Each structure stands twice: as structure tokens, then as C-alpha cells.
Amino acid sequence: MKKIMNNKILKTLCPVFVLLCSENAALASSCEDEGTISVTGTASVTATPDVASLSFVAASSGKDAKAVRSNVEQKAFILIESALKLGLKKEQIISESMSLYPVYNYNDGKRIFDGYNANREITFKISDFTLIEKLTDLALKAGIEQIGGFTYELKDSSSLKKIADANAITDAKEKALRLAQGFNVKVKGVCRISFSDAQLEHAPRFMAVNSAKQSMVAEYTPAPVKVSSEVNVVYTID
């Protein structure tokens, strides 16, 4: 009995569903068949960053896998402990798991085992930019020579994204009105919209450090962080 009822419900709903689909298709078709203008609204908003992200890599190589792992762990431990003593909190430190892999060379077509390479990346998130140089000095003292660049970021970019989105929408509207006025037509409404979510652009900084004996050359002036947004709109016109 239940199955029969379900079948009756389906038979009742199917024509309604088909009708709705047909109406939507007709609306879309009529929208596209009318006169239209297409515009792209764009906007960019910049802000002063409040966080710096620094990346360091503890690395080692050798024939003995255990010794290689131990060397990397020791470098990472010294750096992390030094950073904690400097005042950083554990949640400001991101320590990736270690990567250990064999290395081979080829001689006369033969593969020859050449030892192991191991590395572990350690990243610091800091709000006090004066700590950039201090952390780099600590990394060098810990025996870490693979020092990546750093990026300036925002703790919360949501409000900036909303502003960029709103400005992009306003830009699209203004462009549509200018076009309509230029061609002596009137904008009726929106036919179709496609939207690219706001993109956050960080400016990376690079630190030129190859060994503990070299001096570090770096600039710590925060580079502006930019958020860009784009919206594509097709308007119907009279």
C-alpha cells in the first residue's frame, strides 16, 4: 500500500517538476534572447599586515639514517626551545614531520646508494616584526642553514574581502550605467552573474643567508597585503 502511495505522489510531483524546469529554462532563454550588456567589476583593497610568517628547514645528510635523523631532530629541538625562551608560544610554532629518503647516484648505468637526506620544516607566526632577525640568528646558532623567505599576512582578512567584494559589485554597476547611457539604452535587470572570490595576495620577502659566517641582508618594513575581487555581470537592457 505504501509503495502504491509513493508512486501516486511521484506521478503527481513529476509534472510539476517538469513544468518548473520548463519555466526556468524559458526564463533563462528569454533573458539571453533580449538585448544585453556584459561588464566586469574589479576592485582591490590594501591593508598593513599584522603577522609575519618565517620558514626554516633543519636538514642533514649522511650514510647512517639514524645519525641523520638525530642531527635534524637536534637542530629542530634547539631552535624551537630557543624560540620558546624568546617568548613565543607553542601555538605560534608549526613543526612539520620529518622527511627521510635515500639518495642514489648513477655510474655506468648502475644505481649506487649515496646515503640519506632528511629535513624538517619549522614555521613561526609572529606579530612582533623585531623578532624576525632574532629568530634568524637563533636558527643559525642551531645549525640551520636552509632559511626560506618570510611573508607578511593578516590575522583576519574577512572584513577586507567584504570591502573588495562590495567595491567590485559597485564597479560593475557603474560600468553598466555608463555603457547604457553611452548607447542611449536603459538597464532593466541582471541576467547572469559569475563571481570570483576575493584573492589575498601576500608579498614574500627573501633572506639571503647561506651560512652562519655570512651577514644577513633583509628588509623588515611590512609590505602591504592586497585583496582583489572580480564579478562578471550580464544585464538586460531596453
Side-chain angles (χ1 to χ4, degrees):
M1 182 68 180
K2 187 176 181 180
K3 186 174 181 180
I4 294 173
M5 289 295 293
N6 288 340
N7 288 337
K8 288 182 177 179
I9 292 171
L10 286 174
K11 288 179 180 179
T12 303
L13 291 178
C14 280
V16 176
F17 178 73
V18 171
L19 179 62
L20 288 173
C21 290
S22 299
E23 288 179 352
N24 288 336
L27 286 172
S29 178
S30 63
C31 172
E32 295 292 345
D33 290 342
E34 293 184 32
T36 61
I37 54 175
S38 301
V39 295
T40 298
T42 59
S44 294
V45 185
T46 59
T48 302
D50 48 17
V51 174
S53 178
L54 292 79
S55 176
F56 303 90
V57 180
S60 182
S61 60
K63 299 289 186 180
D64 188 332
K66 185 177 180 180
V68 169
R69 286 176 58 93
S70 177
N71 192 18
V72 170
E73 290 291 3
Q74 184 179 16
K75 291 178 180 179
F77 175 79
I78 292 174
L79 176 56
I80 292 172
E81 287 298 307
S82 299
L84 292 172
K85 290 178 182 178
L86 191 63
L88 269 72
K89 297 179 181 179
K90 289 184 178 180
E91 54 266 28
Q92 292 179 276
I93 305 172
I94 303 170
S95 182
E96 303 290 344
S97 58
M98 181 184 296
S99 174
L100 176 71
Y101 52 92
V103 178
Y104 296 94
N105 286 323
Y106 289 85
N107 188 8
D108 293 332
K110 295 182 179 179
R111 191 174 73 166
I112 302 172
F113 175 70
D114 197 35
Y116 296 93
N117 281 348
N119 57 69
R120 184 177 179 184
E121 186 172 358
I122 303 142
T123 303
F124 299 99
K125 300 279 188 177
I126 58 174
S127 299
D128 184 356
F129 298 156
T130 63
L131 295 178
I132 295 175
E133 187 171 356
K134 293 178 182 179
L135 284 170
T136 303
D137 288 339
L138 290 177
L140 294 173
K141 290 176 181 177
I144 294 177
E145 296 185 353
Q146 293 188 26
I147 302 176
F150 59 94
T151 57
Y152 290 116
E153 304 171 1
L154 293 172
K155 287 181 182 177
D156 183 10
S157 61
S158 58
S159 59
L160 209 62
K161 288 182 178 180
K162 288 179 181 179
I163 295 172
D165 291 343
N167 289 349
I169 293 169
T170 299
D171 184 48
K173 291 178 179 178
E174 291 176 351
K175 286 178 178 176
L177 289 174
R178 290 203 306 270
L179 279 173
Q181 290 171 0
F183 288 96
N184 295 318
V185 295
K186 291 183 179 180
V187 176
K188 288 176 57 179
V190 176
C191 176
R192 188 173 67 253
I193 302 173
S194 63
F195 183 70
S196 297
D197 196 14
Q199 300 297 314
L200 189 62
E201 300 175 20
H202 299 296
R205 297 285 181 170
F206 300 96
M207 294 181 283
V209 183
N210 295 321
S211 70
K213 295 181 180 180
Q214 284 186 311
S215 61
M216 183 178 65
V217 179
E219 183 183 351
Y220 303 125
T221 303
V225 176
K226 183 169 71 172
V227 174
S228 300
S229 184
E230 180 179 293
V231 58
N232 300 293
V233 189
V234 177
Y235 289 95
T236 53
I237 55 174
D238 273 338

